Amino acid sequence: MAKIVDQLCGCDCAVGVAGGDLLVEVPITDGGVKFGNSVVPVNREALGAAADKGDRTVTVGVRPEHFDVIEANGGTAASLSKDSANAPAGLAVSVNVVEELGADGYVYGSAKLGGEHKDLVVRINGRSVPEKGATLHVVPRPGETHVLSTSTSERLSG
């Protein structure tokens, strides 16, 4: 993990550390990577480079400020392809703690990714904070992810 973290940003700000970046292995699929119930577009060259290495997954890094909270009928939700039309778009995040800091807030929560629970931090609008125990649906903002080879830890984009 340290090798991947160094590739991501040169510091150790991975999940569970003060920086709060999410660093997770996700499957490659048509059009991007599978993130929760949605396919999130990522750099095509990065996915091609991963496929050339024989990787079927990539490690994606996302900073707290690079998540979008998905509204049920919002424009972002409509633009994402989903596994199931009945399920909400994005990754379901259970809210554990909300830190209100004026114009911004931070949600400290957990989500199920790849069969395991991951802690993550999401920056939100400080004027519309969720309650503890609520569920948010989030996706990484296109173009704001770091993609690394799962097999070699080599940075592929970002």
Side-chain angles (χ1 to χ4, degrees), residues 25-88:
E25 184 177 337
V26 292
I28 299 170
T29 188
D30 281 341
V33 296
K34 181 151 174 17
F35 197 84
N37 185 38
S38 301
V39 174
V40 175
V42 296
N43 182 293
R44 288 187 182 273
E45 290 81 21
L47 296 181
D52 290 347
K53 295 177 187 316
D55 292 345
R56 299 177 68 117
T57 62
V58 290
T59 301
V60 174
V62 187
R63 298 184 185 282
E65 63 272 19
H66 295 152
F67 282 105
D68 285 329
V69 176
I70 302 299
E71 302 297 329
N73 296 316
T76 304
S79 70
L80 296 169
S81 59
K82 301 188 307 180
D83 287 343
S84 168
N86 297 330

Side-chain angles (χ1 to χ4, degrees), residues 5 12 15 18 30 36 46-47 49 56-57 80 98 102-103 128 133 136 147 152:
V5 172
D12 43 20
V15 177
D30 281 341
L47 296 181
R56 299 177 68 117
T57 62
L80 296 169
V98 177
S128 58
L136 295 179
V147 181
T152 67

Side-chain angles (χ1 to χ4, degrees), residues 118-136:
K118 296 279 189 180
D119 293 331
L120 70 151
V121 181
V122 178
R123 187 170 76 184
I124 58 168
N125 180 336
R127 291 181 173 78
S128 58
V129 295
E131 297 289 322
K132 180 180 177 180
T135 300
L136 295 179

